[in-house]
Amino acid sequence: MKLDEILSQNNVTLSFEVFPPKATANYEAVKAAAYAVAERRPSYMSVTYGAGGTTRGNTLEIAKGIQENYGVTTIAHLTCAGATKESIQQALTELKDAGIENVLALRGDRPKDFEGDPFTDYHYASELAADIKAFGGMCIGGACYPEGHVESENTHQDILNLKRKVEAGCAYLTTQMFFDNNIFYNFLCRVREAGIDVPVIPGIMPITKPVQLRNAVKLSGCNVPMRFRSIVDCFGRNPEAMQQAGIIYATDQIIDLIANGVKHVHVYSMNNAEVVKGIQENLCTMIGYQIHPQNVKSIFTKFSQALS
Ligand code: FAD
């Protein structure tokens, strides 16, 4: 099913991101972990793409396997850094032949060990989105950054660039992780003010190990509230306690989002089915809940309709 159809239904959706095995990794173990997430039958799943196409075949296989074996709609991520027009056409043909109808169009970062300029055929994700649109038959999504993309001059320019990406064909946007929901609400206001009216799906990362938080901050420069820092300081050395605290913190973020009118939440599950189970169970009566504007009484009520 195309994602815009899923998003247009009036239910709360809870979806999960998994990553495919790298060429050198243990393929069967990573595949089994991704499939264990699919067994939880989430609203839909996304499968990441290794920088420079390093996981291309595996992204395709895992996305196809999830759809065929579990009936869960998947989004295949696709990056264009280091890609050529021809290689993108080939990747799209393979996705189409595998029955994948949803693609997250990404620029990606400079692939490690890439010789030369990786941005010759493509400079930005908007160019990839335009090519996918011309290819046809795909629901296209894009990435967005509530705290600004690390390379952007300022958040205003970043949002103007985001608008170009939507105009090029993105039917929805998924955010980079954030740990303070006010950052998302503030971003959403600015996105709507800029005239971007597609669904903006918050991406929530349950932190189950201190190293994940360090990597998240290093990669995206995201803000970590004192409240969450204290949790990691306190429980970080106890893996079970940290996992439990991470699931609860993420659940708390999601409940606040739903209470403020957000209908769709994407969770960076890191192939951890225990995390998926914990969050699903915490939210079981809220998943499938139909949001009507009159049910939302918070200060963000006025944005609740614009959110979806
Ligand atoms: P773009 O939208 O092209 O933006 C990149 C930068 O260029 C931004 O600073 C933007 O403001 C600027 N820009 C855009 N258009 C213009 C323009 N016309 N003129 C000037 N500047 C412009 N990476 C992977 O390798 N694999 C994945 O599977 C993956 N999945 C992701 C999923 C999500 C939800 C997110 C948020 C990120 C993901 N990433 C992934 C990381 C992503 O590839 C990097 O953050 C990358 O640096 C930017 O990709 P983008 O698609 O957002 O780029």
Side-chain angles (χ1 to χ4, degrees), residues 79-183:
T79 67
C80 58
T84 61
K85 293 273 179 184
E86 292 73 30
S87 69
I88 291 295
Q89 289 300 312
Q90 198 190 332
L92 291 171
T93 304
E94 287 167 5
L95 290 173
K96 188 178 164 204
D97 292 347
I100 307 294
E101 298 178 290
N102 301 291
V103 179
L104 191 72
L106 297 149
R107 187 201 68 183
D109 294 317
R110 183 190 176 88
K112 240 183 173 176
D113 304 329
F114 190 91
E115 285 177 17
D117 180 5
F119 303 111
T120 48
D121 280 18
Y122 293 96
H123 307 88
Y124 302 110
S126 53
E127 296 157 352
L128 176 63
D131 278 1
I132 302 173
K133 190 175 177 191
F135 181 84
M138 298 282 179
C139 176
I140 310 161
C144 63
Y145 304 84
E147 297 174 69
H149 183 257
V150 282
E151 293 166 27
S152 65
E153 280 170 43
N154 53 59
T155 48
H156 175 69
Q157 191 56 48
D158 209 29
I159 288 176
L160 293 180
N161 293 335
L162 189 60
K163 194 171 182 191
R164 290 186 187 152
K165 194 152 63 174
V166 171
E167 285 164 355
C170 290
Y172 69 94
L173 299 165
T174 303
T175 76
Q176 179 69 278
M177 71 196 79
F178 54 85
F179 300 101
D180 173 355
N181 286 0
N182 289 329
I183 290 171

Side-chain angles (χ1 to χ4, degrees), residues 174-216:
T174 303
T175 76
Q176 179 69 278
M177 71 196 79
F178 54 85
F179 300 101
D180 173 355
N181 286 0
N182 289 329
I183 290 171
F184 173 74
Y185 299 133
N186 188 290
F187 173 68
L188 197 67
C189 290
R190 286 180 289 139
V191 161
R192 297 301 183 228
E193 269 167 20
I196 299 172
D197 59 3
V198 297
V200 180
I201 303 170
I204 298 297
M205 171 83 140
I207 295 291
T208 58
K209 295 177 190 138
V211 66
Q212 291 173 334
L213 188 62
R214 282 199 294 278
N215 288 344

Side-chain angles (χ1 to χ4, degrees), residues 278-308:
I279 291 179
Q280 280 182 330
E281 287 179 354
N282 285 344
L283 295 166
C284 57
T285 50
M286 285 171 260
I287 303 170
Y289 183 71
Q290 294 210 327
I291 294 185
H292 298 293
Q294 64 266 32
N295 289 343
V296 180
K297 295 200 173 91
S298 75
I299 52 165
F300 296 103
T301 300
K302 63 182 173 164
F303 301 115
S304 66
Q305 281 171 318
L307 280 160
S308 53

